[in-house]
Amino acid sequence: MAATRPTVTRRRELAHTSARSLLMTVLGEYVLPRQEPVWTSSLVDALALFKVEEKSARQALARASGEGWLKSERAGRRVRWLLTPPGRRLLSEGAERIYGFGRQTGEWDRRWLVLLVSVPESQRDLRHRMRTRLSWAGFGSPAPGVWISPNVGAEPEAARLVAELTDGGQAMSFVASYAEIGDEQQMVARAWDLRELEHHYERFIDEFTGLAPRSGEAVLLAQTRLVHEWRRFPFLDPDLPRNLLPDRWSGTQAAELFHTRHAEWRDEAQQHWDSFVENGG
């Protein structure tokens, strides 16, 4: 199974309206905490609550199986699905990241990891892949060929990415503190588009502030939507230290809203899922 370990990519996570992405949310929120297999009909009917057609739902299940997340077993004429050990492991890692995101603790030591990567202009495809992968890892680029992260612990991941994409001799790394020349906040503004990120947070806040589901099904829908939208932010947000963020940062309010709503709705959503599955969707 290790050879077919499923993977999560930022592109897939951000394609948040797809049947596959919704299936991953349902698996992580409701199937992962349990050890029981789930009937095809239950998963198809759960996705139907979000207007996903049966054909698309079944295709999403087939793809998840092909990628190593799920395995099927037949019981008479019916089919049920179990998380594979690699799928369960990866969803557990994802859950830890999703539910822990936005809960920063401790003070930043004001050290920067600086990565210098030289890729010739003629190798545009490599430049694009390098930019994409480093951005996904939380790095920002304030100037061509310069990548920075306030998380010095990200160096092993950066080294792995550089080794995968180049021969390793085209990069150098440093750990340093910002000195007297220039302005640290302006460097941050050049490296990351925080205004666009803040727009995403404000839309999240608008959607879930004041939402008060009254039935079990409504709570299940609201909780699933809440997690589904929130799980995008660890891929969008570099999770900068608070003193590098603008005043009244919307991400702080959005995180508080997510964790409050998730706790409020959790028990009823989980209970309704059990009822939903027991009744065959």
Side-chain angles (χ1 to χ4, degrees):
M1 293 301 297
T4 59
R5 176 177 171 83
T7 60
V8 171
T9 68
R10 185 173 183 257
R11 177 181 61 80
R12 285 175 173 169
E13 287 298 313
L14 300 186
H16 62 290
T17 58
S18 71
R20 182 194 179 282
S21 185
L22 275 166
L23 175 62
M24 293 302 107
T25 299
V26 169
L27 292 175
E29 185 68 13
Y30 305 110
V31 179
L32 178 64
R34 297 160 173 81
Q35 299 294 328
E36 298 87 2
V38 186
W39 296 111
T40 300
S41 59
S42 295
L43 293 171
V44 169
D45 289 346
L47 294 182
L49 297 175
F50 298 91
K51 313 302 182 187
V52 175
E53 296 181 354
E54 180 178 350
K55 179 180 178 181
S56 296
R58 291 181 179 276
Q59 287 175 341
L61 282 168
R63 289 182 185 132
S65 176
E67 292 171 357
W69 293 81
L70 295 170
K71 65 178 180 180
S72 62
E73 62 178 28
R74 186 168 292 278
R77 295 185 176 182
R78 304 180 70 191
V79 174
R80 55 189 182 183
W81 298 87
L82 302 90
L83 289 169
T84 63
R88 181 171 291 276
R89 192 160 55 246
L90 194 61
L91 283 174
S92 297
E93 292 168 1
E96 182 178 350
R97 185 175 187 182
I98 291 166
Y99 303 135
F101 188 74
R103 288 178 164 168
Q104 281 192 10
T105 58
E107 292 293 323
W108 179 44
D109 62 7
R110 306 198 68 84
R111 294 191 301 161
W112 289 95
L113 173 61
V114 182
L115 181 66
L116 306 182
V117 185
S118 175
V119 180
E121 178 67 31
S122 58
Q123 296 180 275
R124 293 189 177 184
D125 180 62
L126 176 58
R127 288 167 67 93
H128 173 73
R129 284 186 288 144
M130 183 73 71
R131 173 173 292 276
T132 299
R133 298 281 296 278
L134 286 172
S135 295
W136 293 354
F139 284 79
S141 179
V146 180
W147 292 87
I148 59 173
S149 171
N151 176 18
V152 297
E155 187 168 21
E157 184 174 4
R160 184 168 58 254
L161 295 178
V162 170
E164 288 175 4
L165 296 174
T166 73
D167 62 7
Q170 297 168 287
M172 295 178 286
S173 64
F174 305 87
V175 173
S177 300
Y178 199 90
E180 297 296 324
I181 300 173
D183 182 272
E184 192 172 39
Q185 292 293 339
Q186 289 183 7
M187 178 185 72
V188 169
R190 289 196 301 270
W192 292 280
D193 188 353
L194 296 181
R195 285 183 296 181
E196 178 63 21
L197 177 58
E198 191 156 39
H199 291 327
H200 287 292
Y201 276 128
E202 289 169 354
R203 285 195 290 270
F204 179 88
I205 292 167
D206 289 344
E207 181 173 357
F208 293 103
T209 297
L211 187 61
R214 300 189 182 277
S215 67
E217 181 175 301
V219 172
L220 177 72
L221 286 167
Q223 182 80 321
T224 307
R225 283 173 48 211
L226 179 81
V227 175
H228 193 58
E229 293 300 321
W230 183 252
R231 60 182 270 201
R232 305 167 60 216
F233 286 109
F235 292 86
L236 287 170
D237 189 340
D239 200 21
L240 299 176
R242 294 187 188 279
N243 53 337
L244 294 177
L245 295 169
D247 294 336
R248 293 178 292 180
W249 174 239
S250 296
T252 302
Q253 183 183 349
E256 292 173 355
L257 178 62
F258 169 76
H259 294 295
T260 299
R261 290 287 184 267
H262 190 267
E264 287 175 353
W265 297 337
R266 178 175 51 224
D267 289 347
E268 189 169 358
Q270 295 291 336
Q271 290 168 10
H272 190 75
W273 174 261
D274 287 333
S275 175
F276 184 86
V277 171
E278 287 171 8
N279 295 325

